[in-house]
Amino acid sequence: MDWSKLQSSFSNINFAQAGSKLTKGFNSGVQLTRERFGQVAPEDITELPQEYKDLEARVDALRQAHISLYKITKAYENENYDYPVQIQESITELSTTIGHGITNFAATNLKGTNLPAPSPVAAPTVQPKTLPHALCRAATSAANAMQGAPGGNEHKFCNALAEYAGAWEKIADARIQHDESIYTEYLQPWQTTLSTSIGAAMKARQAVRSSRVELDAAKQTLKNAGPTKQEQARLDVENAEDDLVQKTEVAITLMKAVLENPEPIKNLNELAKAQLLYFAAAAEALSSAQGAIEELSVAAEGEYRKSRDH
C-alpha cells in the first residue's frame, strides 16, 4: 500500500466543509419533516414571490395538458391501435415465418448430401396490422372468391365488393401517411417538450424548494444558536437567502420560456392536419365507392323485383 498517496488523498479532503454540508443536509431534512407534519408555523416558512407562484400554476396546467393528451395519442405509436384482431394474425404470420426459415435453412444446408433438398422460398410479405388494411384484404378476398365461381364476374355483389375493397385500399395508404406524420410531427416533438423544456423547469422548481427549505432550516438554527455560533449561523442565513434568490430567478426564466414556447401549438396543429387529411381522403374514397355500390344496389333490387313480377 502506498501510504504517501493515501496521506495525500486525506490531506485534500476539507473535513470542515464536508461536515458543514452534512449538517445543512440534516437540518434541511428535519425542517422538511416538521413542515410535512404541520409542526412549523406558517410565518416561519419563507414566502416565495407571487410571480413565481403564478408561473408554477400555469406550468403545472400546461404540463398536465401535455400528459393528458399524450396518454391518448401515444396509441398512434402502434399501427394496430384500431385492430385488436391482429394478435391472431401475428401468430399465424409467425408460424409462416418460422416455416419459411426452416425451409430455406434446409435448402441451403442439404446441398451436396444424399438427402432431398427443398427449393428456397420467398419470405412472406408482412401485412400492415390496421383496420383499413384488414377491410381491404377481407373485401378483396371475398371478391376474388366470388369471381372464381361460375358467373362470378357478372354478379353485382362481386362488383360491389371490388368497389369497397378499392376504397379501403386508398384509405389504407392514407392511414400509413397519417400515422407517420403524427409520429414525426406531433408525438416526437411533444414528448421532447415534456422531457426537455418542461422537465428543466420542473428541476429548477425542485431546486427552489430545496433552497427554500435550507433557508428556513438555517433561520431555525440561527434562532436556537448560542452566542458563540450566532455569527456563523447569521452568515449561513445570508448565503441561503442569496442562493434562494438566484435559484428563484433561474426557475422564473425557465418557466417563462416554457409558457412562451410556440412548439406545443405547432405540434397540435400538425396532429389536427394529419387527421384532417386522413379523414378527407377516407371520405373521398368512400363517397366514390358508395355511389357506385348504390347504383349496383338499385340495379340488383330492380332485377329482383322484376323477376318476382313474372
Side-chain angles (χ1 to χ4, degrees):
M1 179 179 294
D2 192 334
W3 288 102
S4 60
K5 288 185 178 180
L6 189 60
Q7 289 175 341
S8 175
S9 298
F10 275 113
S11 64
N12 290 332
I13 297 176
N14 189 329
F15 287 100
Q17 186 178 28
S20 176
K21 287 183 179 180
L22 187 62
T23 302
K24 288 181 181 179
F26 175 77
N27 291 341
S28 295
V30 171
Q31 175 71 18
L32 189 58
T33 301
R34 293 180 66 237
E35 288 181 9
R36 287 175 177 172
F37 284 98
Q39 297 174 354
V40 179
E43 61 269 18
D44 290 334
I45 298 177
T46 300
E47 185 78 10
L48 294 172
Q50 188 60 45
E51 179 189 17
Y52 177 88
K53 292 189 288 186
D54 291 343
L55 288 170
E56 267 193 322
R58 292 176 62 193
V59 169
D60 283 342
L62 180 65
R63 179 174 177 270
Q64 189 55 48
H66 270 74
I67 292 173
S68 297
L69 199 56
Y70 181 71
K71 282 181 180 178
I72 304 303
T73 54
K74 73 175 184 177
Y76 289 123
E77 292 177 347
N78 300 310
E79 67 173 13
N80 53 29
Y81 56 81
D82 61 352
Y83 187 50
V85 185
Q86 60 84 27
I87 296 175
Q88 184 59 45
E89 288 189 1
S90 296
I91 293 173
T92 303
E93 283 188 358
L94 178 61
S95 300
T96 304
T97 302
I98 292 173
H100 160 262
I102 292 173
T103 300
N104 283 351
F105 177 82
T108 302
N109 290 275
L110 293 179
K111 288 180 179 179
T113 68
N114 295 327
L115 298 174
S119 300
V121 295
T125 302
V126 178
Q127 298 292 337
K129 302 296 186 299
T130 74
L131 184 59
H133 287 88
L135 286 170
C136 176
R137 290 194 297 268
T140 300
S141 177
N144 290 339
M146 291 202 66
Q147 282 182 342
N153 289 329
E154 301 173 4
H155 202 290
K156 290 182 175 56
F157 185 54
C158 176
N159 296 333
L161 284 170
E163 290 285 349
Y164 188 73
W168 279 103
E169 183 177 15
K170 294 176 182 177
I171 296 171
D173 291 339
R175 163 63 190 277
I176 295 296
Q177 182 59 48
H178 164 265
D179 290 358
E180 290 177 351
S181 296
I182 287 178
Y183 183 74
T184 57
E185 303 299 329
Y186 163 74
L187 279 175
Q188 284 188 326
W190 196 263
Q191 195 171 16
T192 298
T193 299
L194 267 173
S195 60
T196 54
S197 56
I198 294 180
M202 298 304 289
K203 287 181 180 178
R205 284 168 51 177
Q206 180 59 47
V208 170
R209 282 192 289 272
S210 298
S211 182
R212 196 274 306 161
V213 171
E214 186 174 317
L215 170 59
D216 290 341
K219 288 180 178 179
Q220 192 65 33
T221 300
L222 174 61
K223 187 183 297 185
N224 299 326
T228 59
K229 296 185 178 180
Q230 282 279 335
E231 184 60 28
Q232 183 59 49
R234 189 176 292 107
L235 287 174
D236 289 342
V237 169
E238 291 176 0
N239 291 334
E241 286 175 338
D242 291 342
D243 183 70
L244 178 59
V245 169
Q246 181 182 2
K247 285 184 169 62
T248 302
E249 289 175 352
V250 170
I252 287 175
T253 300
L254 289 175
M255 287 192 288
K256 283 182 176 180
V258 166
L259 294 169
E260 294 167 359
N261 184 11
E263 282 299 306
I265 300 177
K266 177 184 175 182
N267 302 151
L268 188 62
N269 176 59
E270 293 296 335
L271 172 64
K273 183 167 70 173
Q275 291 170 326
L276 172 63
L277 292 173
Y278 170 63
F279 288 120
E284 182 181 357
L286 285 173
S287 177
S288 176
Q290 188 273 328
I293 294 172
E294 186 171 26
E295 290 181 6
L296 291 167
S297 174
V298 171
E301 187 173 357
E303 291 177 2
Y304 176 76
R305 291 182 182 277
K306 184 176 180 181
S307 67
R308 291 293 180 177
D309 291 341
H310 291 81

